[in-house]
Amino acid sequence: MNNTGFLNVYKEKGYTSHDVVAILRKLAGTKKVGHTGTLDPNAQGVLPICLGRATKLADHIMAENKTYVAEVILGMTTDSYDITGEVLSKSTTLVNASKFAHAAAQFVGDIMQVPPMHSAIKINGKKLYELARKGEVVERKPRAVTIHHIYVLSPEQAAAYHCWQSEAHPSLQRFFIKVDCSKGTYIRSLCADIGTVLGCGATMGALTRTRSGIFSLESAKTLDEIRSAASTNDLHNIIMPVAAAFPYPRAKVSPDGLRMATNGNALPNGMITIIENELHVVHENRKKIWLHTPCGDLIGLFGRAPEENTRWCAEVMF
């Protein structure tokens, strides 16, 4: 069975991203399994998983924009910026919906964000959360991220995205936000920053990732659904082929260019033929193509050579 491709996994609360990878290694029967962006154990939602040779495309998946729905709990700050952390302060200040929306809107655009101590970022070879568990706090440099949109949702709207009010601190005021953002954005940090602007402090409660690139909540499969498919040898039916995840045009290399292509060498335009009946999926003016052998076997992902239109260079070889 060909288990190369992507699985759109719905990660439930209680699992780490590493747990999901370990489970899928057994179900898919391959050691080559990797996730494309960590979700905390307390979070849920879309977790794209790469299988087989598709692990070579993990960085391409991680580079895509993300969408989250988060619960913002006002009047409390924690050391982890979410409800799993130690409470640092509390406030009884109440905020109306208009004031909250105005504060959240200030973070739309290109912003600098300080990663939380409880994160997987490495400083001097040590993951921040490992240092945090020892009670250490180190200086973190702000990182550039982009917030494309922030929408304030009603509790009912948030529930439609599988994001419900957390049971912790039920007496505190809370709002729900839907955030479209770039890779590397920490929603916990965003919640804490909104609380700082409001002057009452805030921490993140429930969190659901609803989208990662083309992978959406609607098409995500739970681990039980994936186990069921594997038990009936139907796993291949829910694995997305690599070309479907990146809808670049298909192309074939000429026989005289085959050796160069399979060795990962750059190819002149004359050795490549883009399949005309698939031009409706042209992406970025044909800057990338899925290159195949004359017999139709996938060679890899090739892109235009920088600042020229005469050659194609290998980006990911299969």
Side-chain angles (χ1 to χ4, degrees), residues 1-241:
M1 181 186 300
N2 182 9
N3 283 339
T4 286
F6 302 101
L7 269 175
N8 184 12
V9 178
Y10 180 86
K11 190 196 82 66
E12 297 165 281
K13 290 177 64 175
Y15 290 95
T16 67
S17 299
H18 180 73
D19 290 337
V20 174
V21 168
I23 291 169
L24 292 180
R25 280 199 180 109
K26 294 180 180 179
L27 294 178
T30 177
K31 293 182 179 180
K32 290 186 177 181
V33 178
H35 65 76
T36 59
T38 301
L39 270 180
D40 294 334
N42 199 46
Q44 58 196 7
V46 173
L47 181 66
I49 296 292
C50 306
L51 301 174
R53 292 178 297 170
T55 54
K56 296 181 178 183
L57 292 162
D59 288 345
H60 288 69
I61 296 290
M62 285 190 282
E64 299 291 325
N65 290 335
K66 315 287 192 294
T67 301
Y68 298 88
V69 175
E71 176 191 28
V72 187
I73 301 176
L74 301 185
M76 181 174 73
T77 63
T78 66
D79 61 350
S80 63
Y81 300 171
D82 69 2
I83 55 172
T84 67
E86 180 181 346
V87 176
L88 301 178
S89 67
K90 281 196 171 184
S91 168
T92 57
T93 302
L94 294 178
V95 174
N96 63 40
S98 177
K99 187 175 181 180
F100 177 84
H102 179 72
Q106 295 181 38
F107 294 93
V108 175
D110 298 328
I111 64 171
M112 300 301 292
Q113 189 179 67
V114 177
M117 272 300 301
H118 292 257
S119 65
I121 293 173
K122 288 185 178 181
I123 293 184
N124 296 326
K126 295 287 186 179
K127 293 180 179 178
L128 285 178
Y129 69 77
E130 294 174 343
L131 299 175
R133 288 172 182 169
K134 298 177 182 179
E136 299 180 33
V137 177
V138 298
E139 182 180 357
R140 288 96 69 201
K141 293 182 179 180
R143 306 187 340 165
V145 299
T146 302
I147 307 292
H148 301 290
H149 302 284
I150 298 179
Y151 308 93
V152 180
L153 305 180
S154 68
E156 293 76 19
Q157 289 172 319
Y161 291 103
H162 299 191
C163 191
W164 295 273
Q165 178 173 319
S166 57
E167 297 178 358
H169 311 283
S171 63
L172 293 178
Q173 187 181 17
R174 61 201 69 212
F175 289 90
F176 291 91
I177 55 175
K178 180 182 177 184
V179 183
D180 295 328
C181 57
S182 68
K183 71 168 186 175
T185 302
Y186 280 93
I187 306 301
R188 286 180 288 157
S189 295
L190 175 63
C191 293
D193 290 342
I194 291 173
T196 298
V197 169
L198 291 169
C200 60
T203 197
M204 189 186 76
L207 177 70
T208 299
R209 182 156 64 197
T210 65
R211 183 180 64 87
S212 178
I214 69 164
F215 299 93
S216 67
L217 194 66
E218 292 75 18
S219 60
K221 304 294 183 183
T222 66
L223 287 174
D224 281 345
E225 289 173 321
I226 295 170
R227 289 188 184 99
S228 178
S231 69
T232 57
N233 294 320
D234 289 324
L235 192 59
H236 62 282
N237 289 329
I238 59 173
I239 294 176
M240 179 185 292

